[in-house]
Amino acid sequence: MSTNPNSSRFDDGKDLFDFMPSRRPPNREPLETDVERPAAGETDAALEAQVIDALKTVRDPELPVNLVDLGLIYELIVKRDGTVYVEMTLTAPSCPVAGSLPGEVEKAIRTVLGVGEVRVKLVWTPPWTQDRMREEARLELGLL
């Protein structure tokens, strides 16, 4: 958390590299900071709906649209035990909020009752394009 009481910026001590996939060779042991997809098991559709609603509260600061409608959330897994895994991207690797937006996603998900462990993984492949946007986002941005 920020030391400035007037600051609304979320700072949990993580930076961009905490959310990126590891560049270590596959034959090496994973690092503790690697974000892993949860093991197979039962998912929780009701909890997933609440997590999606929470994700819709996170907006791209440069575009007046939430991350879900922008198509920046590539994968969402919500397990019955409350584990949530998100694979997301940004509109561009040079995005000025690359270091903070994954943390905002994590913070929004943690507001949902029943959520336990939250894993957010920032990926660049496949690259984001406007084709990933939902129709609602296109309308809001005047692209239709």
Side-chain angles (χ1 to χ4, degrees):
M1 207 52 90
S2 176
T3 57
N4 181 352
N6 297 323
S7 173
S8 61
R9 181 168 149 63
F10 177 74
D11 183 7
D12 63 356
K14 295 181 180 177
D15 63 23
L16 172 65
F17 299 104
D18 290 321
F19 298 96
M20 294 182 69
S22 173
R23 297 208 187 331
R24 293 170 58 95
N27 59 346
R28 292 226 173 134
E29 290 295 318
L31 297 172
E32 289 182 6
T33 58
D34 288 348
V35 179
E36 294 183 24
R37 181 176 275 104
E42 291 190 39
T43 58
D44 187 330
L47 187 57
E48 181 177 331
Q50 293 175 39
V51 169
I52 290 170
D53 287 343
L55 286 170
K56 286 183 176 183
T57 66
V58 183
R59 293 171 116 33
D60 184 300
E62 295 178 328
L63 301 168
V65 180
N66 71 70
L67 303 186
V68 174
D69 291 345
L70 276 176
L72 296 177
I73 305 299
Y74 283 2
E75 184 174 14
L76 175 63
I77 300 172
V78 181
K79 309 296 277 189
R80 284 212 185 272
D81 68 359
T83 300
V84 177
Y85 172 83
V86 178
E87 205 168 276
M88 65 174 288
T89 194
L90 303 173
T91 54
S94 61
C95 181
V97 294
S100 63
L101 204 54
E104 290 179 39
V105 165
E106 182 178 345
K107 181 181 176 186
I109 293 169
R110 288 191 185 283
T111 66
V112 177
L113 187 64
V115 166
E117 182 180 0
V118 178
R119 304 175 190 176
V120 179
K121 184 174 187 177
L122 185 61
V123 298
W124 303 110
T125 305
W128 179 85
T129 64
Q130 289 184 5
D131 296 338
R132 294 187 168 275
M133 294 170 63
R134 291 187 175 172
E135 188 173 332
E136 297 87 356
R138 293 174 192 271
L139 285 171
E140 199 170 331
L141 295 172
L143 298 175
L144 286 181

